[in-house]
Amino acid sequence: MDWKALLASADGPPELAALRTAASAHFLDRGLPSTRDERWRYTDTNFLTQQELELLRPVIKADAPAGVRVRPLEEAADAAVPLLAAEADMTHPFRLLNTALLRDGLLVEVEDNAKPERELLLTITTTSGLAVPRLLVVVGENTQLTLVERYRTDGGTCLPVTQFSVGSGSRVEHLRIHHGSNDVHIGCVEVRQQRDSLVTNHLLTFGGRLVRNDLQFHLLGSGAEARLNGLYLADGEQHVDNHTTIEHAVPHCDSRETYRGILGGKASAVFNGRVHVHPDAQRTDAQQSNQNLLLTDDAIIHTKPELEIYADDVKCTHGATVGQLDREALFYLRSRGLAYDEARRMLVDSFAAEIVRRITDESLRDELAETVIARLPGMLAEAA
Amino acid sequence: MLEIRNLKAGIDGKTILKGIDLTVNAGEVHAIMGPNGSGKSTLAQIIAGREQFEVSSGSVKYDEKDLLELAPEERACAGIFMAFQYPVEIPGVSNSYFLRSALNSQRRARGEQELDAFEFLTFIQERMALLNLHEELLNRPVNEGFSGGEKKRNEIFQMAVLEPQLAVLDETDSGLDIDALRVVASGINSLRREDNATIVVTHYQRLLNYVVPDFVHVLVDGRIVRSGDQQLALDLEEHGYDHIIAQAA
């Protein structure tokens, strides 16, 4: 892969050219992450260098309710530039790639006090090749938004970046759903929350050759709360890596993080949950849990909480578990007449349901519960 | 219905049952009593099909079938039910979903039509009344956060819904206060029929005041040392196990 040639071929709105050039230089300087970098220790992306990736434009479909303004980045570049420039992360290699090739994406805006009647549905479809979609979501004050961001692919490499700016007193529910199989998906989500805002993120991964998600939550105003729910299912030789960071920058903020994983075959997964409580962030209440169900002896999970606390009046808890299907529960179900396979499916499904049930919208919840159920027989058959 | 012959079994190489003979016919209630560690629960679990136990010799026949050859779910579908001493909590699975899946699984195995959600609800409401159970319990996850008494009532409720031919109640009375014991016992009694049978495994005689057995067996150190009628249970209550053991020796 000739990164230099790829980056030189970048094209798009002239307003974004300066950003692209700066990111391009940073990326070429750093290259792909090494597994000696702690954040990439279990996720080796260097095979990408062996591939010839052709830059392809993703197909982004938006179904927006009244009260939510959605514009393609190409048409809203003027408005997007200050947002992009102010929050440009020049350290994450794949976010740099996304910025260096910036062209396709959406600017989503919800005005102060708006009351959108339903959710904003975004479907991002990619095929083979390389796609770098960018979503900028600007939520005003005292308003609300439910955003469903859905990735569909049958291969290729997708490096999406989604940035939220959430105003005071607003509520956001964000679902990021990845339906992959043989693809590479390395995505970043960055959320900046002002005073008394509540952002609930549901990150649902149903497999992929290599999936990496970096989530960064910045709690910038007192009374802000972040809820991070995650579910990852992987089997075969799939690999899923979730790295989350919650920056408690000011006092009186809460974070609740609950991630669950189900791994079959020779799948591997990483959970790294960093909670950073800044010196001023007194009365922080941060809770984190990561639970994993391994269906086979060959499945691997690396789970690591990372608490950095520089304030003294805080409540921070974390816990991680790794286990197999409960034999007692399995026997209990079978003793009532449920076949072995059905009993196993019921137990695995109930483990996943603990995350899925947190989705507010009933039809989305039901749909995702079905998606989990549809995924299980294959995973369990492989593990039998 | 059930014929156990010279059953020897254990776990992790340790022998627990040292030759059990027991015959249970339709319409009968048998009580198996014994001190802690005598093998009562082991016997119940072997009947239900717990795989951790190894049967070294003997036979268990159920309706002329070799019970030991059957998987736990096949036994359930053939009409065997065990009320667990320690009912298992299953977070995330609602009681009603669990029970409907179990019932329909058994109905499928018997070639009967499955019940849809509405038919099922109508059917179980009547069964819930039997055990004084609140409807909200149906929507709660199986046994999760239930009190000890609620768990035991939930076991008998499941039995009322599944209508087994042979029910094995493993220490169902333990942990119940006297009111809960009465409710559970009247539930068990209302399910008694000419064509089914019940084995009550218990340490204390208390439950047998309400669920009157036709036969009482005393299990000591993996063997049935005495069999009799209800009077034997009363003797045990009065004189204790040591007395019976001494007599048997």
Side-chain angles (χ1 to χ4, degrees):
Chain A
M1 183 71 218
D2 184 348
W3 297 108
K4 208 164 180 174
L6 174 79
L7 294 169
S9 75
D11 191 14
E15 295 91 332
L16 304 177
L19 264 174
R20 280 199 300 264
T21 309
S24 186
H26 273 91
F27 176 79
L28 290 173
D29 197 31
R30 299 169 155 257
L32 292 178
S34 150
T35 51
R36 283 191 300 274
D37 178 339
E38 184 63 26
R39 284 167 300 177
W40 296 90
R41 188 168 160 198
Y42 302 109
T43 301
D44 189 353
T45 56
N46 283 286
F47 68 93
L48 289 171
T49 300
Q50 316 301 321
Q51 296 184 340
E52 281 308 314
L53 295 169
E54 187 193 353
L55 188 60
L56 292 176
R57 306 189 64 180
V59 178
I60 307 178
K61 272 205 215 154
D63 175 7
V68 177
R69 188 180 190 202
V70 179
R71 289 182 285 167
L73 270 190
E74 287 190 299
E75 291 168 24
D78 270 342
V81 166
L83 297 167
L84 288 165
E87 293 161 13
D89 177 322
M90 291 291 175
T91 59
H92 191 292
F94 294 96
R95 190 160 161 180
L96 280 171
L97 264 181
N98 179 294
T99 308
L101 299 166
L102 198 59
R103 178 180 194 176
D104 292 300
L106 299 175
L107 173 63
V108 175
E109 291 161 297
V110 188
E111 283 185 17
D112 294 353
N113 306 307
K115 292 264 174 289
E117 282 174 6
R118 57 177 178 85
E119 63 275 8
L120 165 60
L121 299 172
L122 300 178
T123 308
I124 298 104
T125 308
T126 60
T127 49
S128 58
L130 175 68
V132 294
R134 170 79 61 126
L135 298 175
L136 283 177
V137 186
V138 181
V139 179
E141 297 187 353
N142 301 311
T143 179
Q144 64 191 56
L145 174 69
T146 299
L147 168 60
V148 182
E149 197 184 336
R150 201 188 281 276
Y151 289 88
R152 290 194 183 281
T153 183
D154 55 7
T157 300
C158 187
L159 312 174
V161 175
T162 300
Q163 285 170 262
F164 275 88
S165 163
V166 180
S168 297
S170 288
R171 296 171 73 95
V172 170
E173 186 164 343
H174 176 213
L175 282 82
R176 207 176 208 244
I177 307 160
H178 176 241
H179 303 274
S181 56
N182 194 33
D183 60 317
V184 175
H185 181 101
I186 304 174
C188 295
V189 175
E190 185 179 66
V191 181
R192 290 170 185 273
Q193 291 184 236
Q194 303 303 327
R195 198 182 175 82
D196 296 331
S197 61
L198 168 64
V199 176
T200 305
N201 175 281
H202 310 277
L203 187 78
L204 305 161
T205 301
F206 294 102
R209 177 183 169 191
L210 185 153
V211 179
R212 162 76 177 233
N213 294 297
D214 280 86
L215 279 74
Q216 270 186 46
F217 278 71
H218 299 269
L219 302 174
L220 304 169
S222 279
E225 178 173 348
R227 295 182 191 159
L228 287 76
N229 301 317
L231 176 66
Y232 43 98
L233 275 61
D235 64 355
E237 313 244 325
Q238 296 177 334
H239 178 76
V240 181
D241 178 346
N242 290 314
H243 267 64
T244 67
T245 299
I246 302 170
E247 298 283 353
H248 280 267
V250 295
H252 290 284
C253 290
D254 294 352
S255 60
R256 299 281 179 273
E257 180 167 20
T258 314
Y259 267 66
R260 286 194 171 193
I262 302 168
L263 305 175
K266 294 179 179 169
S268 53
V270 180
F271 172 80
N272 191 109
R274 178 165 177 256
V275 176
H276 181 191
V277 181
H278 296 237
D280 290 339
Q282 301 296 355
R283 301 294 171 102
T284 286
D285 183 346
Q287 295 176 17
Q288 180 188 92
S289 113
N290 173 233
Q291 293 179 279
N292 296 281
L293 192 53
L294 304 187
L295 302 175
T296 60
D297 292 340
D298 293 330
I300 296 171
I301 172 76
H302 305 278
T303 176
K304 183 180 169 197
E306 221 182 308
L307 271 54
E308 278 178 60
I309 302 169
Y310 300 102
D312 49 17
D313 184 12
V314 302
K315 203 165 92 187
C316 294
T317 62
H318 66 87
T321 63
V322 178
Q324 289 156 344
L325 278 181
D326 182 354
R327 283 173 65 144
E328 287 292 305
L330 204 53
F331 176 64
Y332 191 70
L333 295 178
R334 294 176 76 194
S335 79
R336 297 302 182 246
L338 292 167
Y340 178 66
D341 287 343
E342 198 181 353
R344 288 206 307 159
R345 207 154 53 228
M346 194 179 272
L347 291 177
V348 178
D349 179 38
S350 69
F351 181 80
E354 177 57 27
I355 298 299
V356 174
R357 70 172 182 81
R358 295 160 185 245
I359 298 165
T360 308
D361 183 84
E362 190 182 349
S363 63
L364 278 169
R365 197 167 59 225
D366 290 349
E367 184 218 305
L368 289 160
E370 288 298 321
T371 307
V372 171
I373 289 170
R375 185 81 169 75
L376 295 184
M379 292 181 74
L380 286 166
E382 196 184 29
Chain B
M1 182 184 291
L2 182 75
E3 267 199 50
I4 301 176
R5 290 288 164 261
N6 193 31
L7 178 69
K8 293 180 184 170
I11 192 164
D12 299 331
K14 187 175 157 242
T15 306
I16 299 171
L17 300 181
K18 298 172 180 170
I20 299 281
D21 291 284
L22 180 68
T23 301
V24 177
N25 296 307
E28 294 175 352
V29 173
H30 289 247
I32 296 179
M33 303 183 68
N36 291 330
S38 59
K40 305 186 298 285
S41 279
T42 300
L43 180 60
Q45 308 226 28
I46 287 174
I47 294 171
R50 170 113 40 194
E51 280 154 355
Q52 286 91 315
F53 292 100
E54 304 132 26
V55 173
S56 52
S57 70
S59 67
V60 181
K61 280 208 162 134
Y62 173 73
D63 279 351
E64 304 304 314
K65 288 186 285 273
D66 180 357
L67 190 68
L68 300 176
E69 288 294 306
L70 303 181
E73 59 268 34
E74 292 172 321
R75 301 181 195 205
C77 293
I80 289 183
F81 176 92
M82 177 175 79
F84 281 52
Q85 181 177 5
Y86 304 109
V88 182
E89 296 189 7
I90 307 186
V93 178
S94 82
N95 227 0
S96 66
Y97 175 65
F98 156 63
L99 209 42
R100 183 155 77 94
S101 304
L103 179 63
N104 279 336
S105 186
Q106 295 201 13
R107 291 179 70 97
R108 267 198 312 275
R110 292 194 294 262
E112 295 166 9
Q113 274 279 313
E114 293 185 31
L115 298 185
D116 66 27
F118 180 75
E119 290 166 329
F120 176 71
L121 198 66
T122 317
F123 170 63
I124 58 169
Q125 265 160 354
E126 163 214 338
R127 301 279 138 156
M128 293 187 77
L130 264 181
L131 286 145
N132 267 340
L133 286 174
H134 289 291
E135 205 152 323
E136 56 101 42
L137 179 136
L138 282 179
N139 300 318
R140 280 164 59 184
V142 179
N143 293 325
E144 194 186 37
F146 285 29
S147 68
E150 279 179 322
K151 282 181 182 170
K152 295 300 177 80
R153 266 190 285 170
N154 198 28
E155 292 294 290
I156 304 305
F157 168 56
Q158 290 173 28
M159 171 178 155
V161 171
L162 298 172
E163 300 179 287
Q165 186 178 264
L166 174 65
V168 183
L169 311 180
D170 188 7
E171 308 266 7
T172 295
D173 51 339
S174 70
L176 291 183
D177 65 29
I178 192 69
D179 293 327
L181 185 73
R182 282 208 184 104
V183 171
V184 163
S186 82
I188 296 167
N189 285 330
S190 67
L191 297 168
R192 281 178 78 165
R193 292 197 316 249
E194 278 302 304
D195 60 350
N196 66 19
T198 309
I199 298 174
V200 180
V201 173
T202 182
H203 185 83
Y204 300 105
Q205 186 266 342
R206 197 172 64 146
L207 178 64
L208 306 181
N209 287 333
Y210 301 96
V211 180
V212 178
D214 301 299
F215 301 93
V216 174
H217 310 279
V218 180
L219 190 61
V220 176
D221 191 25
R223 290 189 182 85
I224 291 177
V225 297
R226 282 277 294 275
S227 292
D229 57 14
Q230 201 199 358
Q231 187 57 43
L232 179 56
L234 296 170
D235 291 347
L236 269 177
E237 183 75 4
E238 198 176 334
H239 304 294
Y241 284 110
D242 289 344
H243 178 72
I244 298 282
I245 294 166
Q247 274 191 344

